[in-house]
Amino acid sequence: MFTAYVIVTVAAALWVGFSAFSLLRRAPFVVEPLVEYGVPQTWWTPLGIAKALGSIGLLVGLFVPAIGIIAAIGLILYFTGAVATVLRARSYKTVAFPVLYLAPVAVALGLGLAA
């Protein structure tokens, strides 16, 4: 069980870290949808930093479980908000994207709590 927790947590952290990096670098495939969804550009850097800190927190959580739990809960709230934002923008065809980040973080949290 612990091995699965480590693998899923590292994969989730890398996945979220990639998303944070892409947002902070203003990659077109990330920022174009944000414009479509109506997310103010002034929020992009804080959102990218939040994802980056969550990603780091997941990794730190492998050694300090409380940090990992807090990071996972924060990221779950973050990506739940992202799902709500996409739905509010009525962009139903893209709602799967934030769910693709939400799911591995939620699984990592569940495995961490079970381990």
Side-chain angles (χ1 to χ4, degrees):
M1 182 73 85
F2 184 76
T3 302
Y5 164 63
V6 171
I7 291 169
V8 170
T9 300
V10 170
L14 292 174
W15 185 237
V16 173
F18 169 75
S19 178
F21 176 78
S22 299
L23 179 54
L24 292 171
R25 294 278 302 179
R26 304 293 195 256
F29 71 92
V30 176
V31 299
E32 288 170 5
L34 293 179
V35 170
E36 180 184 326
Y37 304 151
V39 177
Q41 189 172 357
T42 56
W43 292 14
W44 296 357
T45 298
L47 291 173
I49 291 169
K51 283 196 266 191
L53 291 174
S55 175
I56 292 166
L58 288 177
L59 295 175
V60 171
L62 294 172
F63 306 99
V64 184
I67 299 295
I69 291 169
I70 292 167
I73 291 170
L75 287 170
I76 288 168
L77 292 172
Y78 179 99
F79 289 115
T80 300
V83 169
T85 299
V86 172
L87 292 174
R88 182 186 59 84
R90 300 183 196 275
S91 183
Y92 305 115
K93 66 181 186 254
T94 61
V95 76
F97 295 116
V99 173
L100 289 173
Y101 292 97
L102 174 64
V105 172
V107 171
L109 177 61
L111 289 171
L113 293 173

